[in-house]
Amino acid sequence: MTIRFVPIKTVLIVLTAATLAGCATQPTTLKEAYKNDFLIGVAVNQKQFSGEDRRGDPIIKAQFNSISPENALKWDATEPEPGVFDFTNADKYVAFGESNHMVIVGHTLVWNHQTPRSVFQDTNGNPVTREVLLQRMHDHIQTVVGRYKGRIKDWDVVNEALKDNGELRPSPWEKIIGPDYIEKAFQYAHEADPDAELNYNDYSLENQEKRDGAIALIKKLKADGIPINAVGLQGHLKMAWPTVAEEDATISDFAKLGVKVMITEFDIDVVRATQGNRTADIEANARLVDGANTYSNGLPANVQQALADRYAELMGVYLKHRDVVERVTFWGVTDGDSWLNTPGRMNHPLLFDRQGQAKPAFDAVLKAARKPAGN
Ligand code: XIL
């Protein structure tokens, strides 16, 4: 019997090559892990698109292939006074997306928040007429969407038009123009950029009453020939709400209408005091401050793990619906960036901690992509 002598160096080379080959099949970034499923987006703030956030910058560039403007494209930012436009930040935002080859999202054209009061008033402070407000809406959409025609690929045209019970929210838009303000907004956006994808965006559509309202709204828009491509589920979720079954049913219900689904503002609130608050209304969110600061020294390991598991189960639902889900966008880069932090309340809702370190939730989201989707 002959004993073959294999030099130790050869053994090491073979082992190293095998390990590297193994790693190469396991993506280490979110955009890579989900590249055959949907886009992975992130909301960016002014510091980030201006290149002033050294902690966030490498994370954004490595992990995401789509961006949303946290505030830079809202009405108060782009048209602070009727007819006076300011595209300083919006231009930087779009340039940032282009230089990083990302799919650039527009958020948002018609909303009741972050819209100056002067939009709805004449110079004497009296409410404007339907005709005047329609003209202002038209000019705003034409100017903003037109400016980024062909560059911003998908627009949240109307944001949060429904109340929790599914009825139309009595916003100044609805009160002055009437319920058809929604279709007008979509028509104006389509005229300004016929190739852009146009979305209706809202929160808590997982709740049956509100979901029914959105379904009726979308059915009506489609029946009237209004160009709507997708529904945006904001995805401001809690640890136990919605259930996996509710999230699953919500996506199925919208898919049946022939629209795509986007998860547009994903985050998971971990603070105990706000768990029961099943709404992402920014006024309600701001009210619940007292006593809500439960994890000011960071998340205990068991809560970190629970958050990771929660992210994994929800990503599982989105993967299951990868034929209709086009994009999953996280509403912020690190926990420190999140809108869920308010004075006196520190939240931990995202995938990266305040130091920019990946949390167990990040690993869980990455790992979820490797699992075959359920049925
Ligand atoms: C939030 C931003 O994150 C905050 O910076 C801002 O102060 C308020 O708005 N639903 C939406 C988003 O559609 O535009 C909101 O963003 C969060 C709730």
Side-chain angles (χ1 to χ4, degrees):
M1 174 173 148
T2 51
I3 296 174
R4 288 245 187 101
F5 174 72
V6 181
I8 186 73
K9 209 168 149 193
T10 312
V11 174
L12 283 178
I13 289 170
V14 171
L15 283 177
T16 312
T19 315
L20 285 176
C23 288
T25 61
Q26 302 286 10
T28 54
T29 66
L30 301 174
K31 65 181 176 193
E32 176 71 14
Y34 286 90
K35 70 171 191 287
N36 297 321
D37 305 310
F38 34 72
L39 293 166
I40 298 284
V42 68
V44 289
N45 61 33
Q46 191 192 332
K47 275 192 159 183
Q48 290 161 342
F49 60 69
S50 308
E52 289 161 19
D53 178 2
R54 292 173 65 185
R55 181 176 286 155
D57 192 65
I59 303 176
I60 298 166
K61 290 175 180 166
Q63 301 294 340
F64 302 98
N65 47 22
S66 173
I67 49 169
S68 295
E70 188 175 3
N71 290 301
L73 273 153
K74 289 174 182 171
W75 194 305
D76 60 357
T78 54
E79 192 181 354
E81 284 173 50
V84 179
F85 289 88
D86 180 353
F87 290 110
T88 320
N89 282 329
D91 282 356
K92 282 192 202 166
Y93 162 76
V94 173
F96 179 83
E98 286 180 337
S99 63
N100 292 299
H101 314 289
M102 291 162 157
V103 173
I104 304 167
V105 177
H107 171 86
T108 179
L109 296 169
V110 177
W111 192 21
N112 56 313
H113 287 296
Q114 290 175 279
T115 305
R117 210 179 287 250
S118 57
V119 173
F120 308 108
Q121 294 174 342
D122 63 19
T123 42
N124 298 320
N126 298 315
V128 291
T129 62
R130 167 180 159 94
E131 286 63 39
V132 168
L133 191 55
L134 274 175
Q135 188 65 49
R136 287 185 179 176
M137 186 168 97
H138 170 270
D139 294 352
H140 180 81
I141 293 177
Q142 182 64 46
T143 308
V144 179
V145 175
R147 184 177 182 92
Y148 303 111
K149 184 171 188 272
R151 299 165 74 196
I152 290 187
K153 295 286 184 303
D154 100 57
W155 271 102
D156 292 338
V157 179
V158 176
N159 199 31
E160 304 181 356
L162 298 169
K163 295 195 293 185
D164 284 348
N165 68 3
E167 289 171 8
L168 273 192
R169 184 188 291 280
S171 66
W173 297 109
E174 198 273 336
K175 283 197 225 152
I176 298 174
I177 297 175
D180 65 336
Y181 85 90
I182 300 178
E183 14 198 295
K184 295 284 184 198
F186 277 87
Q187 278 165 343
Y188 298 155
H190 185 65
E191 280 163 28
D193 186 352
D195 296 326
E197 242 186 286
L198 306 180
N199 315 328
Y200 173 71
N201 195 52
D202 212 330
Y203 60 84
S204 300
L205 297 180
E206 290 81 359
N207 295 345
Q208 195 68 54
E209 266 194 308
K210 188 163 182 181
R211 193 193 317 164
D212 288 344
I215 290 171
L217 171 66
I218 290 165
K219 275 191 179 162
K220 176 156 192 341
L221 292 176
K222 288 194 79 92
D224 293 347
I226 302 301
I228 171 166
N229 305 97
V231 62
L233 308 180
Q234 288 187 0
H236 295 297
L237 306 185
K238 309 280 171 173
M239 294 299 281
W241 170 85
T243 62
V244 162
E246 284 169 329
E247 191 67 15
D248 188 10
T250 304
I251 299 177
S252 296
D253 282 355
F254 287 113
K256 278 183 219 142
L257 306 178
V259 286
K260 297 285 182 192
V261 175
M262 323 247 188
I263 311 302
T264 51
E265 307 179 14
F266 198 14
D267 51 25
I268 301 175
D269 183 353
V270 290
V271 168
R272 263 179 290 164
T274 44
Q275 287 304 304
N277 178 17
R278 296 174 172 189
T279 172
D281 184 276
I282 54 181
E283 282 161 20
N285 192 48
R287 272 198 300 274
L288 287 160
V289 170
D290 289 344
N293 185 0
T294 44
Y295 302 122
S296 51
N297 297 319
L299 276 188
N302 62 330
V303 185
Q304 283 282 17
Q305 191 51 49
L307 179 66
D309 295 345
R310 179 69 173 141
Y311 262 112
E313 68 177 14
L314 289 162
M315 291 310 290
V317 178
Y318 306 146
L319 278 168
K320 176 180 166 187
H321 291 281
R322 60 209 277 270
D323 54 331
V324 287
V325 174
E326 289 201 329
R327 166 166 63 84
V328 174
T329 292
F330 294 83
W331 204 246
V333 182
T334 72
D335 284 340
D337 302 321
S338 174
W339 74 300
L340 294 174
N341 300 303
T342 49
R345 185 190 341 157
M346 193 182 249
N347 220 318
H348 309 263
L350 294 167
L351 305 184
F352 294 87
D353 69 15
R354 286 173 164 73
Q355 281 68 48
Q357 296 301 314
K359 292 159 63 177
F362 170 84
D363 299 324
V365 169
L366 204 57
K367 220 165 108 199
R370 299 181 196 139
K371 291 212 186 109
N375 295 304

